[in-house]
Amino acid sequence: MGESTMKRRLKHRHLQLISLGGVIGSGYFLGTGYVLEQAGPAAVISYLLGGIIVLAVMLCLAELAVEQPLSGSFVVYARENISATWACGVGWSYWVTWVSYVPSEMIAAGIIMNSFLPEVGTIWWAVLFGLLVTLLNLFRVDKFGESEFWLALVKIIALVAFSAVALLICLGLIGDEGYIGTGILLGSGGFAPHGYASIALTMVIILVNFQGTEIIGLAAGETADPARSIPTAVRNVTWRIIALYIIPITLLVSILPWDHASLSKSVFAAALAEHGFSHLGALFSFVVLTAALSCSNSGLYGAARTVHALATMGMAPRALGGLSRKGIPSRAIYASIAFCWGVIALYALHPDAALYTYLLALSGFSGAVAWISICWSQYRRRRRLEAAGTVSLLRYRMPLFPYVTLFGIWAQVLCLLFMAFTPELRSALYLGVPMLIVPMLLYRFLRRRRAHDIIEK
């Protein structure tokens, strides 16, 4: 399978922050305005529910990854516990998600740099960042982990700093407004100005923002001590997500009227400018740039490990399963980044192309499918161990089985149903469903063809 030749060089602290790289991207800083427009202050409940779903999925993943710490893990788990056909569909769907989403982060970084240096076009900045992210992924895995550690740390410090400043503004200790309290939070139509049904509408977008936590599992095969690091990482990333989303968002809607939020700029910078701290907006531009690079970095890592796993299982060209002398799936990285550059070129030629919009919307569908697959794999694996009477051999057991697992599955199924009945989100299904089903059909066709050829020989 190739896992044995991958180097276990990711340290405990690396794994703690790698998954945050995929979770806190530029979309969090720039796209939160959409969530606030849809749900108002009730968006806090959306993020809280999203955090609970993340916890359920990560607990399932921890049990699987501690038992079998493999690179490309959840694709392998799907093959062993569900079916090879399903694993092929989920794996390719997940890969397409990241190689479509990573370019959007590169372009976001390019837009930020273009605002500082307009003489250099956005696309050239995007290509430069693409090269930088490629180089980071081609280093030894511990060097990748180190770069992601510091990039993620910048985002954490920025969100903690924003929370501290926002709290001081709320209490009237800084700024010109005096004591604010809940005046802004409950003003402009109350806590849920569009009704509590709007929470369901935003849940899919919230899960898109949270996508990336599963990279913990993809990194399991390169982690020095997975039995210790993975359960700790799962617990920590869940609480960090709640702390880095729930607390900052609550304070955000406490100092920025929800109807002042927009997609044109970071709502965090807008909130600070609302109270006379516009000079901090430039700092948040740097934070968004860091977030974009970090998300691209971890996203390319996840995409490469996924397609490498598919190749070693005969579900992708065998050439993509090769490893360099450093134990890096360099061919899978080159293939993934080449597709990313193709999307960037498409954006350069047709910046408003509908295909590009569909590719971005795809992450909501395929991300949910990947998470459902993780929970489903854990459910079937645990049932098999129960039937064999070997559950006690598990080094880490998810608590409250099967209730947490079933909640993780059905909560996301409901989110996908909301997508189908929501016009502005339905476009994600137009590419999402084919990208899941087409690889499955091709795999079954090719497998039957190979079996037929063997019989004839």
Side-chain angles (χ1 to χ4, degrees), residues 295-344:
C295 188
S296 298
N297 202 27
S298 58
L300 181 58
Y301 176 91
R305 268 59 183 181
T306 299
V307 78
H308 172 264
L310 290 169
T312 58
M313 294 187 294
M315 300 174 184
R318 292 284 183 184
L320 298 179
L323 296 174
S324 70
R325 287 179 296 176
K326 299 176 183 177
I328 300 298
S330 54
R331 294 175 183 174
I333 293 172
Y334 288 134
S336 299
I337 198 65
F339 193 95
C340 291
W341 285 335
V343 176
I344 291 174

Coordinates of all heavy atoms in Angstrom, one line a residue, residues 295-344:
C295 N -4.7 27.5 4.4 CA -5.8 26.6 3.9 C -5.3 25.9 2.6 O -5.6 24.7 2.4 CB -7.0 27.4 3.6 SG -8.5 26.4 3.2
S296 N -4.6 26.7 1.7 CA -4.1 26.1 0.5 C -3.1 25.0 0.8 O -3.0 23.9 0.2 CB -3.4 27.2 -0.4 OG -4.4 28.1 -0.8
N297 N -2.2 25.3 1.8 CA -1.2 24.4 2.2 C -1.7 23.0 2.7 O -1.4 22.0 2.2 CB -0.4 25.0 3.3 CG 1.0 24.5 3.5 OD1 1.6 23.9 2.5 ND2 1.6 24.5 4.7
S298 N -2.7 23.1 3.6 CA -3.3 21.9 4.2 C -4.2 21.2 3.2 O -4.3 20.0 3.2 CB -4.0 22.2 5.5 OG -5.0 23.2 5.3
G299 N -4.9 22.0 2.3 CA -5.8 21.5 1.3 C -5.0 20.7 0.3 O -5.5 19.6 -0.1
L300 N -3.9 21.2 -0.2 CA -3.1 20.4 -1.1 C -2.5 19.1 -0.5 O -2.4 18.1 -1.1 CB -1.9 21.3 -1.6 CG -1.0 20.6 -2.7 CD1 -1.8 20.2 -3.9 CD2 0.1 21.6 -3.1
Y301 N -2.2 19.2 0.8 CA -1.7 18.0 1.5 C -2.8 17.0 1.5 O -2.5 15.8 1.2 CB -1.4 18.5 3.0 CG -1.0 17.3 3.9 CD1 0.4 16.9 4.0 CD2 -1.9 16.6 4.6 CE1 0.7 15.8 4.8 CE2 -1.6 15.5 5.4 CZ -0.2 15.2 5.5 OH 0.1 14.1 6.3
G302 N -4.0 17.4 1.9 CA -5.1 16.4 1.9 C -5.4 15.9 0.5 O -5.7 14.6 0.4
A303 N -5.4 16.7 -0.5 CA -5.7 16.2 -1.8 C -4.7 15.2 -2.3 O -5.0 14.2 -2.9 CB -5.8 17.4 -2.8
A304 N -3.4 15.5 -2.1 CA -2.3 14.6 -2.5 C -2.4 13.3 -1.8 O -2.2 12.2 -2.5 CB -1.0 15.3 -2.3
R305 N -2.6 13.3 -0.5 CA -2.7 12.0 0.2 C -3.9 11.2 -0.2 O -3.8 10.0 -0.2 CB -2.8 12.3 1.7 CG -1.4 12.3 2.4 CD -0.5 13.4 1.9 NE 0.8 13.4 2.5 CZ 1.8 14.3 2.1 NH1 1.5 15.2 1.2 NH2 2.9 14.2 2.7
T306 N -5.0 11.9 -0.6 CA -6.2 11.1 -1.0 C -5.9 10.4 -2.3 O -6.2 9.3 -2.5 CB -7.4 12.1 -1.1 OG1 -7.6 12.7 0.2 CG2 -8.6 11.4 -1.6
V307 N -5.4 11.2 -3.3 CA -5.2 10.6 -4.6 C -4.1 9.5 -4.6 O -4.1 8.5 -5.3 CB -4.9 11.7 -5.7 CG1 -3.5 12.2 -5.7 CG2 -5.3 11.1 -7.1
H308 N -3.1 9.7 -3.7 CA -2.1 8.7 -3.5 C -2.7 7.4 -3.0 O -2.4 6.3 -3.4 CB -1.0 9.2 -2.5 CG 0.0 8.1 -2.1 ND1 -0.1 7.4 -1.0 CD2 1.1 7.7 -2.8 CE1 0.9 6.5 -0.9 NE2 1.6 6.7 -2.0
A309 N -3.6 7.5 -2.0 CA -4.3 6.3 -1.5 C -5.1 5.7 -2.6 O -5.1 4.4 -2.7 CB -5.2 6.7 -0.3
L310 N -5.8 6.5 -3.4 CA -6.6 5.9 -4.5 C -5.7 5.1 -5.5 O -6.1 4.0 -5.9 CB -7.4 7.0 -5.2 CG -8.5 7.7 -4.5 CD1 -9.0 8.9 -5.2 CD2 -9.7 6.7 -4.3
A311 N -4.5 5.7 -5.7 CA -3.6 5.0 -6.7 C -3.1 3.7 -6.1 O -3.0 2.7 -6.8 CB -2.4 5.9 -7.0
T312 N -2.8 3.7 -4.8 CA -2.3 2.4 -4.2 C -3.3 1.3 -4.2 O -3.0 0.1 -4.1 CB -1.7 2.7 -2.8 OG1 -2.8 3.2 -2.0 CG2 -0.5 3.6 -2.8
M313 N -4.6 1.7 -4.2 CA -5.7 0.8 -4.2 C -6.2 0.4 -5.6 O -7.2 -0.2 -5.7 CB -6.9 1.3 -3.3 CG -6.5 1.4 -1.9 SD -7.9 1.8 -0.8 CE -8.3 3.5 -1.4
G314 N -5.5 0.9 -6.6 CA -5.9 0.7 -8.0 C -7.1 1.4 -8.5 O -7.8 1.1 -9.4
M315 N -7.4 2.6 -7.8 CA -8.6 3.4 -8.2 C -8.2 4.7 -8.9 O -9.0 5.5 -9.2 CB -9.4 3.7 -6.9 CG -9.9 2.5 -6.2 SD -10.7 3.0 -4.7 CE -11.1 1.3 -4.0
A316 N -6.9 4.8 -9.1 CA -6.3 6.0 -9.8 C -5.1 5.5 -10.6 O -4.6 4.4 -10.3 CB -5.9 7.1 -8.9
P317 N -4.5 6.2 -11.5 CA -3.3 5.8 -12.2 C -2.2 5.4 -11.3 O -1.9 6.1 -10.3 CB -2.9 7.0 -13.1 CG -4.2 7.7 -13.3 CD -5.0 7.5 -12.1
R318 N -1.6 4.2 -11.5 CA -0.6 3.6 -10.6 C 0.5 4.6 -10.4 O 1.2 4.6 -9.3 CB -0.1 2.3 -11.1 CG -1.1 1.2 -11.1 CD -1.3 0.6 -9.7 NE -2.2 -0.5 -9.7 CZ -2.6 -1.1 -8.6 NH1 -2.2 -0.7 -7.4 NH2 -3.4 -2.1 -8.6
A319 N 0.9 5.4 -11.4 CA 2.0 6.3 -11.3 C 1.8 7.3 -10.1 O 2.8 7.7 -9.6 CB 2.2 7.1 -12.6
L320 N 0.6 7.6 -9.8 CA 0.4 8.6 -8.7 C 0.6 8.0 -7.3 O 0.6 8.7 -6.3 CB -1.1 9.1 -8.8 CG -1.4 9.9 -10.1 CD1 -2.9 10.3 -10.1 CD2 -0.5 11.1 -10.3
G321 N 0.9 6.7 -7.3 CA 1.1 6.1 -6.0 C 2.6 6.1 -5.6 O 2.9 5.6 -4.5
G322 N 3.5 6.6 -6.4 CA 4.9 6.6 -6.1 C 5.3 7.6 -5.0 O 4.6 8.6 -4.8
L323 N 6.4 7.3 -4.3 CA 6.9 8.2 -3.2 C 8.3 8.6 -3.6 O 9.1 7.8 -4.2 CB 6.9 7.4 -1.9 CG 5.6 7.0 -1.3 CD1 5.8 6.1 -0.1 CD2 4.7 8.2 -1.0
S324 N 8.7 9.8 -3.2 CA 10.0 10.3 -3.4 C 10.9 9.7 -2.3 O 10.5 9.0 -1.4 CB 10.1 11.8 -3.3 OG 9.8 12.2 -1.9
R325 N 12.2 10.0 -2.4 CA 13.2 9.4 -1.4 C 12.9 10.0 0.0 O 13.3 9.4 1.0 CB 14.6 9.8 -1.8 CG 15.1 9.0 -2.9 CD 16.5 9.4 -3.3 NE 16.6 10.8 -3.8 CZ 17.7 11.5 -4.1 NH1 18.9 10.9 -4.0 NH2 17.6 12.7 -4.6
K326 N 12.2 11.2 0.1 CA 11.8 11.7 1.4 C 10.5 11.1 1.9 O 10.1 11.5 3.0 CB 11.6 13.3 1.2 CG 12.9 14.0 0.7 CD 12.6 15.5 0.5 CE 13.8 16.2 0.0 NZ 13.5 17.7 -0.3
G327 N 10.0 10.2 1.2 CA 8.7 9.6 1.7 C 7.5 10.5 1.4 O 6.5 10.3 2.0
I328 N 7.6 11.4 0.4 CA 6.5 12.3 0.0 C 5.9 11.8 -1.3 O 6.6 11.4 -2.2 CB 7.1 13.7 -0.2 CG1 7.8 14.2 1.0 CG2 6.0 14.7 -0.7 CD1 6.9 14.4 2.2
P329 N 4.5 11.8 -1.4 CA 3.9 11.4 -2.6 C 3.9 12.5 -3.6 O 3.0 13.2 -4.0 CB 2.4 11.2 -2.2 CG 2.2 12.1 -1.0 CD 3.6 12.1 -0.3
S330 N 5.2 12.8 -4.2 CA 5.4 13.9 -5.0 C 4.6 13.9 -6.3 O 4.2 15.0 -6.7 CB 6.9 14.0 -5.3 OG 7.4 12.8 -5.9
R331 N 4.4 12.7 -6.9 CA 3.6 12.7 -8.1 C 2.2 13.1 -7.9 O 1.6 13.8 -8.7 CB 3.7 11.3 -8.7 CG 5.1 10.9 -9.2 CD 5.1 9.5 -9.7 NE 6.5 9.0 -10.1 CZ 6.8 7.8 -10.4 NH1 5.8 6.9 -10.4 NH2 8.0 7.5 -10.8
A332 N 1.6 12.6 -6.8 CA 0.3 13.0 -6.4 C 0.2 14.5 -6.2 O -0.8 15.2 -6.5 CB -0.2 12.2 -5.2
I333 N 1.2 15.1 -5.6 CA 1.3 16.5 -5.3 C 1.3 17.3 -6.7 O 0.6 18.3 -6.9 CB 2.5 16.9 -4.5 CG1 2.3 16.3 -3.0 CG2 2.6 18.4 -4.4 CD1 3.5 16.5 -2.2
Y334 N 2.2 16.9 -7.6 CA 2.3 17.5 -8.9 C 0.9 17.4 -9.6 O 0.5 18.4 -10.3 CB 3.4 16.9 -9.7 CG 4.8 17.2 -9.3 CD1 5.7 16.2 -9.2 CD2 5.1 18.5 -9.0 CE1 7.0 16.4 -8.8 CE2 6.4 18.8 -8.6 CZ 7.4 17.7 -8.5 OH 8.6 18.0 -8.0
A335 N 0.3 16.3 -9.6 CA -1.0 16.1 -10.3 C -2.1 17.0 -9.7 O -2.8 17.7 -10.4 CB -1.4 14.7 -10.2
S336 N -2.1 17.1 -8.4 CA -3.1 18.0 -7.7 C -2.9 19.4 -8.0 O -3.8 20.2 -8.3 CB -3.1 17.7 -6.2 OG -3.3 16.3 -5.9
I337 N -1.6 19.9 -7.9 CA -1.3 21.3 -8.1 C -1.6 21.7 -9.6 O -2.0 22.8 -9.9 CB 0.1 21.7 -7.6 CG1 0.2 23.2 -7.5 CG2 1.1 21.2 -8.6 CD1 -0.7 23.8 -6.4
A338 N -1.3 20.7 -10.5 CA -1.5 21.0 -11.9 C -3.0 21.3 -12.2 O -3.4 22.2 -12.9 CB -1.1 19.8 -12.8
F339 N -3.9 20.5 -11.5 CA -5.3 20.7 -11.7 C -5.7 22.1 -11.1 O -6.5 22.8 -11.6 CB -6.1 19.6 -11.0 CG -7.6 19.6 -11.3 CD1 -8.1 18.8 -12.3 CD2 -8.5 20.4 -10.6 CE1 -9.4 18.8 -12.6 CE2 -9.8 20.4 -10.9 CZ -10.3 19.6 -11.9
C340 N -5.0 22.4 -9.9 CA -5.3 23.7 -9.3 C -4.9 24.9 -10.3 O -5.7 25.9 -10.4 CB -4.5 23.9 -8.0 SG -5.0 22.8 -6.7
W341 N -3.8 24.7 -10.9 CA -3.4 25.8 -11.9 C -4.3 25.8 -13.1 O -4.6 26.9 -13.6 CB -2.0 25.5 -12.4 CG -0.9 25.8 -11.4 CD1 -1.0 26.7 -10.4 CD2 0.4 25.3 -11.3 NE1 0.1 26.8 -9.6 CE2 1.0 25.9 -10.2 CE3 1.1 24.3 -12.0 CZ2 2.3 25.6 -9.8 CZ3 2.4 24.0 -11.6 CH2 3.0 24.6 -10.5
G342 N -4.9 24.7 -13.4 CA -5.9 24.7 -14.5 C -7.1 25.5 -14.1 O -7.7 26.3 -14.9
V343 N -7.6 25.4 -12.8 CA -8.7 26.2 -12.4 C -8.4 27.6 -12.3 O -9.2 28.5 -12.7 CB -9.2 25.7 -11.0 CG1 -10.3 26.5 -10.4 CG2 -9.6 24.2 -11.1
I344 N -7.1 28.0 -11.9 CA -6.7 29.4 -11.9 C -6.7 29.9 -13.3 O -7.2 31.1 -13.5 CB -5.3 29.5 -11.2 CG1 -5.4 29.2 -9.7 CG2 -4.7 30.9 -11.5 CD1 -4.0 29.1 -9.1

